[in-house]
Amino acid sequence: MLITCPYCGPRDVIEFTYQGDGNRERPDPASQNFEAWNAYVYDRLNPAGDHNEIWQHSGGCRAHLKVVRNTLTHEISSVAFMRSDHGRGDHGRGDHGSAARRKAEDKA
Amino acid sequence: MVERQSPEPLSPLEPEFHVGSHGNFEHGVEIILTETRPGSIVQLAAWPGEEKKLIAAIRTVTGLALPDGAGGGLSDGVKSVFGFAPGKFTVADEAEGLAAAFAKVVTPAIGTVTDLSHGRTAIRIAGPKAEWVLAKFFAIDFALPAFPTGAGRSTTHHDVFAQIQRTGADQFDIYVFRSFARSFWKALCHASEEVGYEVQ
Amino acid sequence: MAEYSAFSLLANALKGNKDWKPAWRKPDPKASYDVVIIGGGGHGLATAYYLAKEHGITNVAVVEKGWLGSGNVGRNTTAVRSNYLLPANTRFYEHSMKLWENLSHELNYNVMFSQRGCLNLAHTPAQFDDYARRGNAMRHLGVDAELMTKAEIKRLIPALDISDSARFPVVGGLMQRRAGTARHDAVAWGYARGADRRGVDIIENCEVTGFLRDGDRISGVSTSRGDIRARKVAVAVAGSTGRVMQLAGIETMPIESHVLQAFVTESLKPFIDTVVTFGMGHFYMSQSDKGGLIYGGDIDGYNSYAQRGNLPVVDEVMSEMLALFPGLARVRMLRSWGGVCDMSMDGSPIITAGPLPGMYLNCGWCYGGFKATPASGWCFAWTIAKDQPHDLNAPFTLDRFHRGLVIDDKGQGANPRLH
Amino acid sequence: MSPRRADTGGRIDRLKTIRFTFDGTAYTGHAGDTLASALLAKGVTLYGRSFKYHRPRGLLTAGVEEPNALVTVLKGEVREPNIPATMVEIHDGLVAISQNRFPSLAWDINAVNQLGGKILSAGFYYKTFMGPVFGPLKGTRFWMFCEHFIRRAAGLGSAGSAKDPARYGRMNAFCDVLVVGSGPAGLMAAKAAADQGARVMLADLEPLFGGSANWSEETIDGAPAADWARRTVAQLAGRDNVRLLPRTTVWGYYDNNTLAALERVSDHKDQPVKGEPRHRYWAIRAKSVVLATGAFERPLVFPGNDRPGVMLAHAAERYANEFGVLPGERIALFTNNDSAYRAAVALKKAGAAVVAIADVRPELSPEMRKLASEAEAEIFAGHAVVATEGGKALSGLKLQRFDMTNGALIGDARSIHADCLLMSGGWSPTIHLASQAGAKAEWNAARQAFLPPKPAQSWIGAGAFTGSFSTAEAIAEGRTAGIAAAGGQSTPSVLPVVEAVPGDPDPAPVFEIRAKGKSFVDFQHDVTAEDVRLAHREGFVSVEHLKRYTTLGMATDQGKSSNVPGLAIMAEALGKPIPEVGTTRFRPPFAPVSIGSLAAERFGDLKPERLTPMHDWHLANGATMYSAGLWYRPMIYGHAGETVEQAYVREAKATRESAGIVDVSTLGKIAVQGPDAAAFLDRVYTNMFSTLAVGKARYGLMLREDGLAFDDGTTWRLGEQDFLMTTTTANAGKVMQHLEYFLDVIWPELKVHVTSVTDEWAGAAIGGPKARQILAACVTGTSVDNAALPFMGIVRGEISGVPVMICRLSFSGEMAFEVYSGAGHGTHVWEALVEAGKPFGLVTYGLEALGTMRIEKGHVTGAEIDGRTTARDLHLDWMLSKKKPFIGSAMMDREGLIASDRLELVGLIALDNRPFNGGAHIVEEVDEANPHGSIGHITACCYSPALGRHIALALVKGGKARQGTRAHVSDPLRNRFGPVEIVSNHFFDPDGSRMHG
């Protein structure tokens, strides 16, 4: 499997660390809503089909990526930085990134 | 070279660094391996939006003007710089003192400077089979159009994280964690035997 | 239906094997049952069998979307063991072990359960102490365990590299002699035949497409072969739990589906006698009766329903294999395959009534479900029949995660890819 | 030249004689021969024994799909079992032996299994061996008793335990177009793609490119097809955008067009050149793939179809045309399609007598009749072979009139004398890779074959792979595919002109001739047509059940030739069309791959070694090293004659009496920098860091999100926005990822950078009553007295001209300092400290003494922070700040985490003064015979020189409340039982007066 890192380009899955379900929302740090905390820590969407997930390019630029990947076919339809502020300057985002982003925007 | 004030740092490769020719020489020596031992290696990281100021600072300190684009970089043979992550750059210099020099120009508002002069070991692989040997380790495309001269890449060979800069058509500088350097060096020598290599 | 025996084999052979009957019937679904079990894998079939045998509930249907045993019961590496650290797991898997020990007889079907032992290799003194902790935990619950020295290990497995020059030299091991392997497909077929002989309807090629409801209560299933009503609906679809629960309107679960690859070599003359595991990575191997070395390692580590894995895990598993058995470099990998595992948030299963009225849930087997098959079916049948868990599965609730009562044998927290 | 070897033709070099042995007999062959062709040339008919019945078997094929002729290749003590003789290229000194026979291939005792034929039918294991219900063989014992013998009889070749001295390599490749298969379609595709300027790789599992062009005897552009292939390959070889990979099996098609291939680099050589691998594993990321993998010929299923001398028709054609070898002198053919007629002509030309062609079809085309007459063969249209004769070699066969509309046999059988029978049951396209790529094959009724599915990934098919069996079609499709794969536009062009024998690609739908006798479907596993029907009777009708119940297609040939006939027989039994029975999904590998190649460069070198800057010093000074993750750390610096315990006791004692020094470079070190660094640390740690003064360090604890303890360590504030965090050695990587995750995903607004600086710093911890004096003796540029360097203070100075950073903190409980220097200077500083310490009796100590002193102090490490304990369990609740939320704070008070029966940290003292063992359990009452009632376990233990007692740390249920009570250690694994006193984990100097000084 290849993941096209917006900075590094297409790289083998071995360079990445899976950080799980990207649909989860972390409650406000001071929140005492235990249901929300429990759901955040333990409950997963786990769909059969397109899945929003987080990967870290730990064996490359170490950025965390927002990936939409199909869990039935492993096809990746979009990859973007988790941080929206990456690449505001010229040196953040490579050409690979713009291609992946375009694809994501097409889907959206 | 600036005169060192402290003792010469020890190389982690020392007991496994065997100057001379090794391996299969059917086609002559096709790989040259060296340790470049830069006097300083620093990592620079800009806050989002401050990348241009950091690039200007790099130019001020090193005289090197970074090209645009992810992983872009260049080398003048004495100093080298390349991007390895969004807003992050590795700079190496034959001389010591880069970290102190950058500390003066990279203000806290621009980003951070981290001295890695001791923490990274720089190994140079050169020769017509350099791409062939590196392709044994790293799942990245080393062909010149995909990996132009001056550019940098962050990648991994199993547990060994590496930053690689192409410093010539047939030449790459590989920065690895010091603690892994000896293991990686041994593996690199082993993998080069097939084509014949010389340690300089 | 005829009993299987050496005599029946001979008698049939004399008649040209013309008189053998199907191992289980192929009935059409009835309009309603007392219990409908979704999932014709090992756990679903075992549940049906024990419902009939232990609780006299025979008006039961098992509905399976594909062919019987097409999930993980037919895709695993066949190891059976009860060498767990935490008491809830040890007790449960030991109950399973006891059921395994009599299973072929009970089912009149040879599931080829062979107690050839399972040896966990330790590679540092600290790891050896860890294994001692686990072995002692087992012994304090009446489960067999023993420590082995390097010399004993070398005698047991001559092909193993126990040299000090190995990258991770073997310092000793934890052995469970009563552990072993079984013929995985035969377990599904044996339970299917056993359940069928007690009147259970096993309905293949029948996919559940939705749940029927009676107010809040689940009262049956819609399937590709029509609606089937039931007083109780049991879900035993490990690997597809998320998908089936979503049909019931439950969007999130403490489960991720991950792909686990397994491998087999070409057939070899006897090479190793026990199940053996590597301590400095994740690798396990045994040899089948046919001679193939059956082995595997970690899950691929990302959500997947694809039953296909990728190369990094292939490479990792083979590298670890040769670290233990350097003589196998020239042996060849013949087949690889992938199974989809329910990875739970603490690495332990869920067997419970609920979470909806009229529903019963059995899932979260991570990659340890095969050895659990008998106890899983037995406990799940109990829970369905009595509407409350048996002591053995009482800790395996769905709400334990939220309550902080996790059963985390590996100590990895809510990170499924690490269990 | 042997009588069966033609004088000319083929790929072999008759001037080069190669010597090898098979089963101890010396043979010769020629360069270019396979083991199969060389033995066949010598008239060998018997190559192997089948799996179950140990029936004698000959060659069925000439290629990778061979089920029968499996051999073990020996290289000294190293064994390579189960290799098809058809895939072994002979070289001088090759030693091969046959398998699965005793005492010899010709006389095999286990052939007695054939007598049990009907009992040993499919599924017989499941129906018996359950054993008695009582007595010594009850339970699993009877089966295990039987299994012992079954296992010895089963299996093919033997694996060895000697380490393979060969090396294996890996290569990562990237290309625009990967072409798999080098027949006419593949060659055209590679050429067309290369002409477009694409980066092309061309792989073929055979040593010689050309595929069918090497044996078809067709002409292309007026020249023999083999010459055309040679010329095209030479053109490709001369281009620098093309990489040619002969002897390379593309075996796996993984996600996103990642393909795995195995190149057999030096198997065919007497000796590899220096550094050359035996096998090279290619991981290829191809933008596009052309699948031109051809097709496999299928056998026909009829009684006696497994007798040595019965062979696939095209295999015989290959032996004749590629190797100049005749598989027999009197040859008969049996076919359901036209392709076999070309083989008849080829064998006739090569010098054999073709005595008969039996064709199940009643009507034959004039072209086929013409070919038959060219071969001077008698035609038996509407006939089938119903029996074969002979022992370990074919001597004849029986023909009978056959009605293909209903399968009936009519009239009397007629005997034909022949020493070789060639069969052709039609062709199955080699769709394995396309199936692996993720889609289901489609049945084509005309071709009677599964054709490739629509691509689920980026590939294009060409040639026989698509069901286009003629060379002209292959060339046209190859060119189109090559251009398309390279992203080009096809333009009209003149294609090479092919002259080929004619033939209808569609076979008659006949798979089996039902007559008396065993008819084999799966040759290696001895699955017969009757076994398939038995599976049907017992309800194992889905293709997966069929496969699993009968083992059809599970042999080393993976059913390449047997799958479709097996399905056809099941379909007939069910009365359903073949596609309704289904086809199995092909999975990697396409053909078996060596495990050595998959481990590649990691064979013999599983993991890199991680070394501290002072590693060589430790080795030179008597350290015994301990492997900790990937690191190596000194365990003890033993003196001659000392045991490990004596050494660590000496080291710990000397440290507490004077001073000791230990290498702590492996601790994880993370630079945390930026304006929000302090705020970030407040969120990450349970305690406060924003209040920490510059130049001071603080001990910190981290929890996981779920509220359980995660890691601990000290963090040093080097500047207002500049922290140096330390972690445990084991968790360094995990903590780094944890921090990066929160900065990137959860709190992107924080201006903080984290960088691993573990390798930047060498660390030496020096502790003991004399530690400060030693430092004072060698540190310049700073004072190290209490005022300059108070507890948890940090100073900068120099040692031997090396800049150092010194923090006064203590793990041993002594007055202690951690001295950090640039890693390249680590040994300089270490040596200077050791030298300065000499007058003070400084010892170097290792992990054992380190562990001893930390147990005495009751400090926790990974054995206690094991992912299941909370801060409270470890008596670290004083570190849980109430002033702020932190990671884990919301979850740490859940009911399960505050229960009263949780395991809590305690100290233990052995009341019987005997050593403890790590991993021993704790009970209230000892029961040696029936251990039970565990209340906890020992996490770490040692002999404490400071206390003169055997002590341990333990996690015990409700442990805090048990302090001051007695219990017992219960360690049945090592038969160690005895009384203990439960005490506080702070054994030694609980008020810390020694470290505060």
Side-chain angles (χ1 to χ4, degrees), chain B residues 157-171:
Chain B
H157 172 63
H158 299 305
D159 301 276
V160 182
F161 181 78
Q163 291 177 357
I164 306 175
Q165 183 180 27
R166 183 174 213 134
T167 49
D170 279 349
Q171 179 174 301

PDB file of all heavy atoms in Angstrom, chain B residues 157-171:
ATOM      1  N   HIS B 157      14.872   2.868   6.943  1.00  0.00           N
ATOM      2  CA  HIS B 157      15.195   1.470   6.643  1.00  0.00           C
ATOM      3  C   HIS B 157      14.966   0.691   7.934  1.00  0.00           C
ATOM      4  O   HIS B 157      15.762   0.779   8.862  1.00  0.00           O
ATOM      5  CB  HIS B 157      16.644   1.335   6.181  1.00  0.00           C
ATOM      6  CG  HIS B 157      17.098  -0.087   6.043  1.00  0.00           C
ATOM      7  ND1 HIS B 157      16.524  -0.950   5.153  1.00  0.00           N
ATOM      8  CD2 HIS B 157      18.052  -0.785   6.685  1.00  0.00           C
ATOM      9  CE1 HIS B 157      17.124  -2.132   5.257  1.00  0.00           C
ATOM     10  NE2 HIS B 157      18.046  -2.058   6.182  1.00  0.00           N
ATOM     11  N   HIS B 158      13.863  -0.062   7.982  1.00  0.00           N
ATOM     12  CA  HIS B 158      13.459  -0.739   9.206  1.00  0.00           C
ATOM     13  C   HIS B 158      13.512   0.236  10.382  1.00  0.00           C
ATOM     14  O   HIS B 158      12.812   1.213  10.384  1.00  0.00           O
ATOM     15  CB  HIS B 158      14.278  -2.002   9.429  1.00  0.00           C
ATOM     16  CG  HIS B 158      14.086  -2.976   8.296  1.00  0.00           C
ATOM     17  ND1 HIS B 158      12.845  -3.418   7.920  1.00  0.00           N
ATOM     18  CD2 HIS B 158      14.948  -3.541   7.435  1.00  0.00           C
ATOM     19  CE1 HIS B 158      12.961  -4.216   6.887  1.00  0.00           C
ATOM     20  NE2 HIS B 158      14.221  -4.320   6.569  1.00  0.00           N
ATOM     21  N   ASP B 159      14.382   0.020  11.350  1.00  0.00           N
ATOM     22  CA  ASP B 159      14.385   0.891  12.522  1.00  0.00           C
ATOM     23  C   ASP B 159      15.257   2.124  12.342  1.00  0.00           C
ATOM     24  O   ASP B 159      15.317   2.961  13.227  1.00  0.00           O
ATOM     25  CB  ASP B 159      14.874   0.094  13.742  1.00  0.00           C
ATOM     26  CG  ASP B 159      13.985  -1.098  14.015  1.00  0.00           C
ATOM     27  OD1 ASP B 159      12.958  -0.918  14.671  1.00  0.00           O
ATOM     28  OD2 ASP B 159      14.298  -2.209  13.537  1.00  0.00           O
ATOM     29  N   VAL B 160      15.952   2.207  11.225  1.00  0.00           N
ATOM     30  CA  VAL B 160      16.924   3.286  11.057  1.00  0.00           C
ATOM     31  C   VAL B 160      16.307   4.424  10.247  1.00  0.00           C
ATOM     32  O   VAL B 160      16.072   4.306   9.047  1.00  0.00           O
ATOM     33  CB  VAL B 160      18.200   2.774  10.357  1.00  0.00           C
ATOM     34  CG1 VAL B 160      19.211   3.900  10.232  1.00  0.00           C
ATOM     35  CG2 VAL B 160      18.794   1.600  11.120  1.00  0.00           C
ATOM     36  N   PHE B 161      16.063   5.534  10.943  1.00  0.00           N
ATOM     37  CA  PHE B 161      15.531   6.724  10.301  1.00  0.00           C
ATOM     38  C   PHE B 161      16.690   7.425   9.584  1.00  0.00           C
ATOM     39  O   PHE B 161      17.802   7.456  10.096  1.00  0.00           O
ATOM     40  CB  PHE B 161      14.929   7.628  11.377  1.00  0.00           C
ATOM     41  CG  PHE B 161      14.325   8.884  10.833  1.00  0.00           C
ATOM     42  CD1 PHE B 161      13.073   8.857  10.237  1.00  0.00           C
ATOM     43  CD2 PHE B 161      15.002  10.086  10.907  1.00  0.00           C
ATOM     44  CE1 PHE B 161      12.512  10.020   9.727  1.00  0.00           C
ATOM     45  CE2 PHE B 161      14.449  11.249  10.403  1.00  0.00           C
ATOM     46  CZ  PHE B 161      13.197  11.213   9.808  1.00  0.00           C
ATOM     47  N   ALA B 162      16.431   7.946   8.404  1.00  0.00           N
ATOM     48  CA  ALA B 162      17.515   8.572   7.647  1.00  0.00           C
ATOM     49  C   ALA B 162      17.014   9.807   6.928  1.00  0.00           C
ATOM     50  O   ALA B 162      15.893   9.842   6.433  1.00  0.00           O
ATOM     51  CB  ALA B 162      18.085   7.586   6.627  1.00  0.00           C
ATOM     52  N   GLN B 163      17.859  10.830   6.903  1.00  0.00           N
ATOM     53  CA  GLN B 163      17.630  11.956   6.009  1.00  0.00           C
ATOM     54  C   GLN B 163      18.698  11.867   4.936  1.00  0.00           C
ATOM     55  O   GLN B 163      19.881  11.702   5.246  1.00  0.00           O
ATOM     56  CB  GLN B 163      17.745  13.281   6.767  1.00  0.00           C
ATOM     57  CG  GLN B 163      16.599  13.488   7.740  1.00  0.00           C
ATOM     58  CD  GLN B 163      16.752  14.770   8.537  1.00  0.00           C
ATOM     59  OE1 GLN B 163      17.732  15.476   8.417  1.00  0.00           O
ATOM     60  NE2 GLN B 163      15.752  15.061   9.354  1.00  0.00           N
ATOM     61  N   ILE B 164      18.267  11.934   3.688  1.00  0.00           N
ATOM     62  CA  ILE B 164      19.197  11.736   2.584  1.00  0.00           C
ATOM     63  C   ILE B 164      19.181  12.980   1.708  1.00  0.00           C
ATOM     64  O   ILE B 164      18.107  13.452   1.321  1.00  0.00           O
ATOM     65  CB  ILE B 164      18.794  10.505   1.744  1.00  0.00           C
ATOM     66  CG1 ILE B 164      18.666   9.270   2.640  1.00  0.00           C
ATOM     67  CG2 ILE B 164      19.822  10.261   0.633  1.00  0.00           C
ATOM     68  CD1 ILE B 164      18.146   8.044   1.923  1.00  0.00           C
ATOM     69  N   GLN B 165      20.353  13.499   1.412  1.00  0.00           N
ATOM     70  CA  GLN B 165      20.442  14.602   0.466  1.00  0.00           C
ATOM     71  C   GLN B 165      21.271  14.158  -0.729  1.00  0.00           C
ATOM     72  O   GLN B 165      22.340  13.559  -0.568  1.00  0.00           O
ATOM     73  CB  GLN B 165      21.106  15.830   1.108  1.00  0.00           C
ATOM     74  CG  GLN B 165      21.134  17.020   0.144  1.00  0.00           C
ATOM     75  CD  GLN B 165      21.777  18.265   0.738  1.00  0.00           C
ATOM     76  OE1 GLN B 165      22.618  18.179   1.625  1.00  0.00           O
ATOM     77  NE2 GLN B 165      21.362  19.429   0.252  1.00  0.00           N
ATOM     78  N   ARG B 166      20.749  14.436  -1.921  1.00  0.00           N
ATOM     79  CA  ARG B 166      21.548  14.131  -3.110  1.00  0.00           C
ATOM     80  C   ARG B 166      22.508  15.306  -3.308  1.00  0.00           C
ATOM     81  O   ARG B 166      22.070  16.430  -3.518  1.00  0.00           O
ATOM     82  CB  ARG B 166      20.648  13.970  -4.322  1.00  0.00           C
ATOM     83  CG  ARG B 166      21.418  13.574  -5.569  1.00  0.00           C
ATOM     84  CD  ARG B 166      20.475  13.273  -6.744  1.00  0.00           C
ATOM     85  NE  ARG B 166      21.050  12.240  -7.568  1.00  0.00           N
ATOM     86  CZ  ARG B 166      20.399  11.196  -8.036  1.00  0.00           C
ATOM     87  NH1 ARG B 166      19.131  11.027  -7.763  1.00  0.00           N
ATOM     88  NH2 ARG B 166      21.004  10.309  -8.795  1.00  0.00           N
ATOM     89  N   THR B 167      23.798  15.022  -3.227  1.00  0.00           N
ATOM     90  CA  THR B 167      24.777  16.103  -3.364  1.00  0.00           C
ATOM     91  C   THR B 167      25.554  15.989  -4.669  1.00  0.00           C
ATOM     92  O   THR B 167      26.558  16.664  -4.851  1.00  0.00           O
ATOM     93  CB  THR B 167      25.733  16.120  -2.157  1.00  0.00           C
ATOM     94  OG1 THR B 167      26.212  14.779  -1.941  1.00  0.00           O
ATOM     95  CG2 THR B 167      25.034  16.595  -0.900  1.00  0.00           C
ATOM     96  N   GLY B 168      25.097  15.137  -5.573  1.00  0.00           N
ATOM     97  CA  GLY B 168      25.719  15.030  -6.887  1.00  0.00           C
ATOM     98  C   GLY B 168      24.931  14.024  -7.689  1.00  0.00           C
ATOM     99  O   GLY B 168      24.069  13.320  -7.152  1.00  0.00           O
ATOM    100  N   ALA B 169      25.221  13.971  -8.996  1.00  0.00           N
ATOM    101  CA  ALA B 169      24.473  13.032  -9.843  1.00  0.00           C
ATOM    102  C   ALA B 169      24.612  11.613  -9.304  1.00  0.00           C
ATOM    103  O   ALA B 169      23.659  10.837  -9.311  1.00  0.00           O
ATOM    104  CB  ALA B 169      24.992  13.111 -11.274  1.00  0.00           C
ATOM    105  N   ASP B 170      25.810  11.278  -8.807  1.00  0.00           N
ATOM    106  CA  ASP B 170      26.074   9.928  -8.296  1.00  0.00           C
ATOM    107  C   ASP B 170      26.447   9.958  -6.819  1.00  0.00           C
ATOM    108  O   ASP B 170      27.208   9.134  -6.356  1.00  0.00           O
ATOM    109  CB  ASP B 170      27.252   9.307  -9.068  1.00  0.00           C
ATOM    110  CG  ASP B 170      26.809   8.727 -10.396  1.00  0.00           C
ATOM    111  OD1 ASP B 170      25.589   8.636 -10.601  1.00  0.00           O
ATOM    112  OD2 ASP B 170      27.687   8.377 -11.198  1.00  0.00           O
ATOM    113  N   GLN B 171      25.948  10.927  -6.095  1.00  0.00           N
ATOM    114  CA  GLN B 171      26.422  11.089  -4.714  1.00  0.00           C
ATOM    115  C   GLN B 171      25.280  11.473  -3.774  1.00  0.00           C
ATOM    116  O   GLN B 171      24.485  12.360  -4.077  1.00  0.00           O
ATOM    117  CB  GLN B 171      27.500  12.161  -4.679  1.00  0.00           C
ATOM    118  CG  GLN B 171      28.049  12.437  -3.289  1.00  0.00           C
ATOM    119  CD  GLN B 171      29.210  13.396  -3.335  1.00  0.00           C
ATOM    120  OE1 GLN B 171      30.220  13.136  -3.985  1.00  0.00           O
ATOM    121  NE2 GLN B 171      29.073  14.517  -2.659  1.00  0.00           N
TER     122      GLN B 171
END
